[in-house]
Amino acid sequence: MQNMTSNQKKVAFYTLGCKLNFSETSTIARNFQQEGFERVDFEEVADIYVINTCSVTDNADKQFKQIVKKALKHNDKAFIAAVGCYAQLKPEELAAVDGVDLVLGATEKFKITDYLNDLSKNDMGEVHSCEIEEANFYVGSYSIGDRTRAFLKVQDGCDYKCTYCTIPLARGISRSDELQNVLNNAKEISQQGIKEIVLTGVNIGDYGKGEFGNKKHEHTFLELVQALDEVEGIERLRISSIEPNLLKNETIDFVSKSRTFVPHFHIPLQSGSNDILKKMKRRYLRELYIDRVNKIREVMPDACIGVDVIVGFPGETDEHFLETYHFLNDLDISYLHVFTYSERDNTEAAEMENVIPANVRSKRSKMLRGLSVKKRRAFYESQLGTTRTVLFEAENKEGYIHGFTENYVKIKTPWNPELSNTLHEIKLTKIDEDGSVRMEFVRDVVVV
């Protein structure tokens, strides 16, 4: 920042969890900067440390305490604020952690600077968390940090009642950004030289619901995608994660012909067993999932398809698990994100019988992670010899620069700073020992 004064307060941020959290941290950080704070790296000495928490896995809860300790090591007099999902679900628990001064829930996190009149340490964390029913307004956000891509939040909250999930408790009802606001944010991002935008939200396929504070859909997800495709200056748009029952044929067809949307879908499955899907209260059965994968393959044979899956859900017998394993093995998908089920307070699943022992959960998780490696390798092999466009990232990793093709193949080539944040036409040549793909330039002309 310009004209730094010696009394300018410094603020640092740490984000746990998903892309949505990253987009929100970025927005909160910009609010601080507008109030005259200087943003510094979390590893530096700061006056305030803001930790954006996550409630999806046990691990995120435990990590919180370690991050607080880390912050206090840099400055033992620093003011520490916890915001985000875990702060909404378990505010008292976070407030009781040594060193925590302020805990803000779902509605308060974007107004954090209003709570900072006094930065003196508190004996006990001060809690401001709403009843989750009050989280019914929308705050748009996007993240800019990694110069090559930005996460653009388009939707928040969820009206689904999956039995394992705390997100509706942590983030409230499904609500959406106004279409014009999303387009304005996309334009702002493109003006900063960022080449790729990843759309994010809790349940983005539900986009349009609650756009004007009502329960109706003012716009559909397809209309959002069509409007974003027209925004000048964006080279690539990527849909992050979308429920199979909300991914419609029209959207798949549109992406296949789109100027900017890339052939990459991430579609949560959670189980390949219809019995377990019903216990989870998912809104589809495996037959619909097969249909979605087949539809994508029909119009985009080279698309990358990622899958979320949960192992060790209560009542998941060996037979159920093998059903999931074989289902995924036979499905034409590209990689898996495997989650080991963990009990969350105030969810239906936490009360269910036939709890799966931790060692069995762990073994199943290992099997599916092995399957994911196999799937990704097969997908990469299928792409060798093809010509794609790669967007290079900005980091020098052990003498190499990495990037991703439009269909999410990870590319590596010797480090050259001039390649950072540029798009090039390349041919995929071979798979390296680390699993990424080597390439050669098709021409020496930069695409953008």
Side-chain angles (χ1 to χ4, degrees):
M1 285 179 76
Q2 300 303 305
N3 308 322
M4 281 189 204
T5 55
S6 56
N7 64 356
Q8 189 178 28
K9 296 287 184 203
K10 294 181 177 181
V11 61
F13 297 86
Y14 197 104
T15 305
L16 290 160
C18 62
K19 296 182 176 97
L20 182 55
N21 271 4
F22 278 94
S23 77
E24 291 181 342
T25 298
S26 241
T27 296
I28 294 166
R30 285 194 292 279
N31 295 345
F32 267 95
Q33 286 166 309
Q34 281 159 10
E35 298 274 340
F37 288 83
E38 181 196 346
R39 182 178 183 176
V40 297
D41 191 77
F42 199 83
E43 299 301 321
E44 294 178 45
V45 174
D47 300 288
I48 303 169
Y49 291 91
V50 179
I51 303 166
N52 193 353
T53 62
C54 165
S55 69
V56 172
T57 62
D58 267 343
N59 207 15
D61 311 351
K62 291 171 192 149
Q63 276 179 296
F64 176 75
K65 286 180 182 167
Q66 293 164 346
I67 296 155
V68 171
K69 273 188 189 153
K70 209 179 197 181
L72 292 171
K73 218 178 246 179
H74 299 313
N75 177 7
D76 61 1
K77 294 181 177 62
F79 187 91
I80 293 181
V83 302
C85 291
Y86 199 50
Q88 175 64 34
L89 291 173
K90 301 275 182 78
E92 279 75 23
E93 207 169 286
L94 292 191
V97 172
D98 267 0
V100 173
D101 299 293
L102 179 67
V103 179
L104 298 181
T107 59
E108 286 80 12
K109 62 188 170 193
F110 293 105
K111 301 180 288 201
I112 181 170
T113 53
D114 298 351
Y115 292 96
L116 299 178
N117 308 328
D118 172 17
L119 290 185
S120 54
K121 297 291 286 174
N122 296 324
D123 292 338
M124 176 76 182
E126 196 181 310
V127 173
H128 296 274
S129 73
C130 63
E131 290 303 314
I132 199 60
E133 291 73 29
E134 292 167 30
N136 57 5
F137 57 89
Y138 186 84
V139 178
S141 46
Y142 60 83
S143 78
I144 292 178
D146 174 351
R147 266 180 356 112
T148 53
R149 69 170 65 86
F151 300 127
L152 172 58
K153 173 181 165 185
V154 299
Q155 182 274 343
D156 201 349
C158 188
D159 292 340
Y160 287 8
K161 298 286 184 279
C162 301
T163 54
Y164 53 81
C165 186
T166 55
I167 286 174
L169 301 173
R171 284 186 169 270
I173 59 171
S174 178
R175 55 210 188 272
S176 306
D177 205 350
E178 289 183 24
L179 184 60
Q180 194 50 54
N181 196 35
V182 175
L183 298 177
N184 294 344
N185 283 342
K187 283 180 192 132
E188 271 180 42
I189 293 167
S190 74
Q191 283 158 8
Q192 302 195 38
I194 288 166
K195 303 281 194 284
E196 182 177 309
I197 292 177
V198 183
L199 301 186
T200 183
V202 173
N203 186 358
I204 63 172
D206 204 22
Y207 176 80
K209 186 191 271 188
E211 196 181 337
F212 294 104
N214 55 21
K215 294 283 193 178
K216 296 192 202 76
H217 274 85
E218 294 295 332
H219 289 98
T220 62
F221 182 69
L222 175 63
E223 287 168 339
L224 170 74
V225 166
Q226 288 167 330
L228 280 167
D229 201 44
E230 302 290 314
V231 175
E232 303 253 323
I234 299 169
E235 299 301 324
R236 282 182 177 181
L237 282 152
R238 207 177 282 277
I239 297 167
S240 59
S241 179
I242 183 164
E243 293 283 301
N245 50 307
L246 296 174
L247 178 58
K248 307 293 187 207
N249 284 348
E250 298 80 18
T251 304
I252 296 170
D253 283 328
F254 182 79
V255 168
S256 74
K257 303 181 187 79
S258 157
R259 178 182 71 86
T260 53
F261 277 89
V262 294
H264 175 203
F265 294 89
H266 192 92
I267 314 168
L269 167 68
Q270 311 311 14
S271 176
S273 157
N274 282 344
D275 290 348
I276 299 295
L277 287 173
K278 287 172 190 168
K279 285 189 80 175
M280 289 176 164
K281 290 195 178 165
R282 300 293 286 159
R283 298 199 172 195
Y284 54 86
L285 296 173
R286 54 187 263 160
E287 290 71 21
L288 175 92
Y289 200 93
I290 295 169
D291 183 64
R292 299 299 73 209
V293 171
N294 289 345
K295 173 63 185 173
I296 293 166
R297 287 281 169 244
E298 181 192 311
V299 293
M300 289 171 272
D302 291 317
C304 181
I305 304 174
V307 182
D308 284 344
V309 61
I310 295 170
V311 296
F313 189 78
E316 184 188 60
T317 62
D318 287 346
E319 289 71 28
H320 289 135
F321 171 70
L322 287 173
E323 211 180 331
T324 295
Y325 187 93
H326 294 309
F327 179 75
L328 289 165
N329 193 32
D330 295 343
L331 209 55
D332 192 359
I333 51 151
S334 317
Y335 64 89
L336 305 172
H337 280 174
V338 183
F339 298 90
T340 305
Y341 171 75
S342 63
E343 286 77 3
R344 318 308 288 159
D345 288 349
N346 302 316
T347 58
E348 263 187 77
E351 307 298 317
M352 289 179 181
E353 294 174 348
N354 301 319
V355 172
I356 309 304
N359 63 329
V360 176
R361 297 184 208 187
S362 169
K363 185 177 156 195
R364 289 175 184 173
S365 173
K366 214 172 184 175
M367 280 176 74
L368 283 185
R369 286 177 210 276
L371 180 61
S372 181
V373 170
K374 189 179 113 178
K375 286 283 182 184
R376 196 185 295 268
R377 174 111 195 168
F379 175 61
Y380 281 10
E381 279 173 358
S382 76
Q383 297 304 299
L384 295 180
T386 64
T387 300
R388 299 273 169 238
T389 305
V390 64
L391 172 57
F392 285 110
E393 294 180 347
E395 215 180 324
N396 181 346
K397 290 185 181 166
E398 296 172 1
Y400 289 94
I401 188 168
H402 291 83
F404 284 92
T405 62
E406 61 274 41
N407 61 341
Y408 215 54
V409 174
K410 189 175 185 180
I411 302 295
K412 88 185 245 197
T413 200
W415 170 251
N416 173 355
E418 286 170 23
L419 294 176
S420 291
N421 199 33
T422 60
L423 286 147
H424 294 263
E425 204 173 334
I426 58 156
K427 187 177 176 187
L428 282 59
T429 55
K430 65 170 188 170
I431 300 176
D432 208 56
E433 303 90 77
D434 66 0
S436 52
V437 176
R438 293 302 196 104
M439 46 142 281
E440 55 191 40
F441 291 103
V442 170
R443 354 171 239 252
D444 290 332
V445 184
V446 178
V447 178
V448 172

